[in-house]
Amino acid sequence: MTGKIFRSCVLVGLAAILVCSGLFLAIMANQYEQEIYRQMKQEAAYVSRGLEETGVDYFTSLKASQRLTWVDADGTVLYDSAADPAAMENHLDREEIAQALRSGEGRSEHLSSTVLEKTLYYALRLDDGTVLRVACTRSTVGAMVLGVVQPLLWVVVLALVLSGVLASRLARQITKPINSLDLENPRLDETYEELFPLVSRLREQNRTITRQMDDLSRRQREFTALAENMSEGVLLLDSKGTLLSGNQSAYALLGQGERPAVLRPDNCRREIWEAAEKALAGRHAETLMTADTRILEILASPVAANGQVTGAVILMVDVTEREERESLRREFSANVSHELKTPLTSISGFAELMKEGLVEPDKMKEFAGDIYKECSQLIALVDDILKLSRLDEGSQELATEAVDLYALSGDILENLRPMAAKRNITLRLEGDHQIIQGVWRILNEMVYNLCDNAIKYNKDGGRVTVRVSGTGESAVLSVADTGIGISKGQQERVFERFYRVDKSHSRRVGGTGLGLSIVKHGAQYHNARLVLDSEPGTGTTITLTFRKE
């Protein structure tokens, strides 16, 4: 800005000098010309009086400084002080002569061939009708300029130097308040009045920018706090794949553990990169990715502005529980179908044989017993499924009551003694009375299933021990048997629905495969801790720990 002001001031000064010089020369030339015409007019008047007094002989004694020409009324040259009148052409068509014959006097000028001189003519009509003309040769304005060009150049140089000094000083004075202006906190008392509107506008803009920056900072902090506390991963990309923002959960899932500058196939998981590519191409993408023991759903959506894709948002959601539930649902449906199909096939086969009359009369009772057995198995299976469904729904409508675990266990063992006696299995109850708050029906199912399994999967002549104990804050119920036991690889799965350690044995004893699932869901309903301890060939102990509150 300083240089621009300096150049402008210098150019203005130079232009002023040139214009003033031109005007001065033009005015001086005009005044000089008018002075010459005045002198020529005065000389013509002197000569005209001489002619009137002495006639043509006056010219012989006259020593004029200017060229004199005497022209008759018909244009014939009667006398000329610089040439032979007889050799001169008729002057009637000369401009100054024609004017003098019409109005009494005339003027004209003619440039020389060099354009540096011109001749001025003044013509005066005399009383006898003749015309007296005075001619004077003088320099033109161009010649005058050439004559003063050297001093004029010195004047221009000195003027330019002076203009440059003044322009430089003026430029610094003008720009100093602007350059020293504090843009963060401009003050009106530190500048001149002409800048007040600019300073006021800057102050208003600073206040607006400050408010906007505070708002953006607040939003950024909110977004960062929200993103960093999310278990889901979030990534924001621009149209070139540059990573604009994200959270630590997302960076960990990329497979690098740190934030990359640009998302590329070599610094992120394949599923994430493929989803990002589709989103940046303008398509929505969904895919599943396995990370350690988790299953993640990758959701990628394009971000568009004015019809153009400007970036993408990638969300990584942990859907492990959902997928496991879906897997359990599919497995449950397949298991239920299988468990229902087996007895129904047997019942259908027995019924078809009886309908076709292919069963002998003495075998009818046996077939009816088989049908009754399979129907009982179906009823037990459906009943267990309904129990699990009620536990899955939470059964919040069930009222709790004080339940004595010792008394409950004693009643259940008494009911199971006939079944245990068939295999010579000893049932024993140990411990003391422990009272908790719970749903009696669910607790009864839990303890019954534990004791029932302990008998079914026990060895002939074995024993089942139920022990109830507790402390001031908790009650512990354990069921131990001396049966076939469970291997380490199967212990985590025995609480799954329809899972059986020994399928052939389960079929033989009539198990549905849902007993321990009911125990697990009942424990969850009562916020109890369930622990299994088993050794193959030695036996199994299942312990339930309840809180008394």
Side-chain angles (χ1 to χ4, degrees):
M1 184 174 180
T2 304
K4 188 175 182 180
I5 295 175
F6 174 79
R7 288 191 298 272
S8 299
C9 291
V10 171
L11 291 176
V12 169
L14 179 60
I17 293 171
L18 295 177
V19 171
C20 291
S21 299
L23 289 175
F24 174 75
L25 291 173
I27 293 172
M28 291 300 294
N30 182 65
Q31 289 181 349
Y32 178 56
E33 187 175 293
Q34 294 301 321
E35 178 63 22
I36 292 176
Y37 273 120
R38 188 186 65 79
Q39 293 176 2
M40 291 169 64
K41 182 177 180 180
Q42 186 177 9
E43 186 172 354
Y46 290 154
V47 173
S48 65
R49 284 196 294 270
L51 284 175
E52 290 176 357
E53 293 178 359
T54 61
V56 69
D57 293 334
Y58 176 75
F59 288 114
T60 58
S61 61
L62 178 66
K63 293 182 179 180
S65 60
Q66 309 293 343
R67 181 181 179 181
L68 296 177
T69 305
W70 187 25
V71 182
D72 196 2
D74 61 357
T76 303
V77 179
L78 300 176
Y79 172 81
D80 189 271
S81 62
D84 183 9
M88 296 178 67
E89 60 182 8
N90 191 286
H91 280 40
L92 186 62
D93 59 346
R94 297 294 180 95
E95 181 181 356
E96 68 278 3
I97 301 297
Q99 289 180 4
L101 291 173
R102 288 194 308 270
S103 59
E105 64 177 2
R107 295 181 182 184
S108 69
E109 60 182 36
H110 298 282
L111 293 174
S112 66
S113 59
T114 62
V115 196
L116 295 178
E117 292 183 345
K118 69 178 179 179
T119 303
L120 303 178
Y121 296 97
Y122 176 77
L124 178 64
R125 188 181 65 188
L126 305 180
D127 293 339
D128 60 358
T130 60
V131 176
L132 179 64
R133 186 182 72 174
V134 180
C136 178
T137 301
R138 61 174 290 272
S139 300
T140 62
V141 176
M144 296 174 64
V145 171
L146 290 176
V148 297
V149 65
Q150 184 173 359
L152 183 61
L153 287 176
W154 279 108
V155 171
V156 171
V157 170
L158 290 175
L160 285 176
V161 172
L162 181 60
S163 298
V165 173
L166 295 177
S168 177
R169 183 177 180 182
L170 179 62
R172 287 195 299 270
Q173 288 177 346
I174 293 174
T175 58
K176 182 178 179 181
I178 300 175
N179 293 331
S180 62
L181 194 64
D182 185 2
L183 297 179
E184 297 294 333
N185 186 24
R187 296 173 57 184
L188 294 175
D189 57 352
E190 294 180 350
T191 183
Y192 41 83
E193 186 176 354
E194 288 76 10
L195 288 178
F196 283 3
L198 174 63
V199 174
S200 300
R201 187 67 179 270
L202 284 174
R203 295 175 70 177
E204 180 62 29
Q205 288 292 331
N206 284 340
R207 285 192 290 268
T208 302
I209 293 172
T210 300
R211 289 195 299 268
Q212 292 175 346
M213 290 301 296
D214 290 342
D215 186 49
L216 288 175
S217 298
R218 179 180 56 81
R219 293 185 180 182
Q220 179 66 29
R221 289 193 299 270
E222 291 175 353
F223 175 79
T224 302
L226 179 63
E228 291 302 328
N229 286 283
M230 289 174 57
S231 59
E232 295 81 4
V234 179
L235 293 176
L236 300 180
L237 309 177
D238 66 6
S239 59
K240 297 181 180 179
T242 302
L243 188 57
L244 302 178
S245 183
N247 59 2
Q248 291 299 324
S249 298
Y251 302 151
L253 293 173
L254 289 177
Q256 300 294 319
E258 58 183 17
R259 173 178 177 171
V262 180
L263 210 62
R264 300 189 306 270
D266 60 346
N267 61 13
C268 68
R269 296 284 296 270
R270 177 182 57 83
E271 296 87 348
I272 299 175
W273 170 249
E274 291 177 353
E277 270 194 320
K278 291 181 180 179
L280 293 177
R283 303 191 305 273
H284 183 76
E286 293 184 16
T287 187
L288 293 178
M289 179 181 77
T290 302
D292 299 328
T293 59
R294 295 186 299 167
I295 301 175
L296 300 168
E297 184 175 22
I298 311 299
L299 304 173
S301 300
V303 177
N306 299 323
Q308 299 292 327
V309 177
T310 58
V313 178
I314 301 177
L315 184 64
M316 310 171 194
V317 184
D318 189 341
V319 293
T320 305
E321 185 177 355
R322 187 192 73 184
E323 292 299 315
E324 288 179 349
R325 286 182 178 179
E326 181 64 20
S327 177
L328 288 174
R329 184 192 64 79
R330 291 192 297 267
E331 184 179 353
F332 178 74
S333 299
N335 288 332
V336 167
S337 300
H338 176 74
E339 294 294 336
L340 291 175
K341 183 178 181 180
T342 301
L344 286 174
T345 301
S346 299
I347 294 172
S348 176
F350 292 144
E352 183 179 5
L353 290 174
M354 295 173 67
K355 183 189 74 170
E356 298 296 332
L358 299 177
V359 181
E360 298 178 0
D362 57 340
K363 294 288 186 178
M364 289 292 291
K365 185 175 181 181
E366 182 181 346
F367 272 54
D370 291 338
I371 292 174
Y372 176 78
K373 179 181 177 182
E374 295 295 340
C375 287
S376 299
Q377 183 72 13
L378 279 175
I379 292 172
L381 177 62
V382 172
D383 188 43
D384 285 347
I385 292 174
L386 292 175
K387 292 174 184 176
L388 279 174
S389 298
R390 286 193 294 268
L391 290 173
D392 284 339
E393 294 171 0
S395 303
Q396 295 296 330
E397 72 280 0
L398 299 178
T400 62
E401 58 183 293
V403 178
D404 186 342
L405 294 178
Y406 187 87
L408 177 65
S409 302
D411 294 340
I412 291 172
L413 290 178
E414 288 299 323
N415 292 332
L416 292 175
R417 286 192 185 278
M419 183 176 66
K422 293 179 180 180
R423 298 179 56 198
N424 198 26
I425 295 175
T426 303
L427 302 180
R428 185 166 59 187
L429 177 62
E430 298 178 353
D432 53 11
H433 294 274
Q434 296 292 328
I435 299 176
I436 64 170
Q437 290 291 325
V439 180
W440 183 89
R441 183 162 57 85
I442 297 177
L443 292 171
N444 183 73
E445 289 291 337
M446 294 169 62
V447 178
Y448 182 87
N449 284 330
L450 290 176
C451 295
D452 184 59
N453 280 352
I455 296 173
K456 289 179 178 178
Y457 295 93
N458 212 325
K459 300 175 182 178
D460 293 341
R463 67 177 181 276
V464 174
T465 303
V466 179
R467 180 172 180 81
V468 180
S469 61
T471 62
E473 297 180 354
S474 61
V476 180
L477 184 147
S478 63
V479 178
D481 64 58
T482 57
I484 60 177
I486 305 170
S487 64
K488 293 293 184 182
Q490 294 178 315
Q491 288 181 14
E492 293 183 359
R493 301 196 60 191
V494 292
F495 294 100
E496 295 178 8
R497 300 175 185 186
F498 297 108
Y499 185 82
R500 295 182 175 90
V501 177
D502 187 345
K503 294 184 178 180
S504 61
H505 184 79
S506 298
R507 291 289 183 191
R508 188 169 60 254
V509 299
T512 63
L514 296 175
L516 290 182
S517 292
I518 294 174
V519 172
K520 176 184 176 182
H521 284 72
Q524 292 174 348
Y525 180 83
H526 287 89
N527 294 321
R529 185 164 60 94
L530 178 63
V531 178
L532 182 146
D533 183 21
S534 181
E535 287 290 337
T538 301
T540 301
T541 300
I542 297 178
T543 304
L544 289 167
T545 303
F546 300 90
R547 288 184 299 180
K548 291 183 178 180
E549 297 179 356

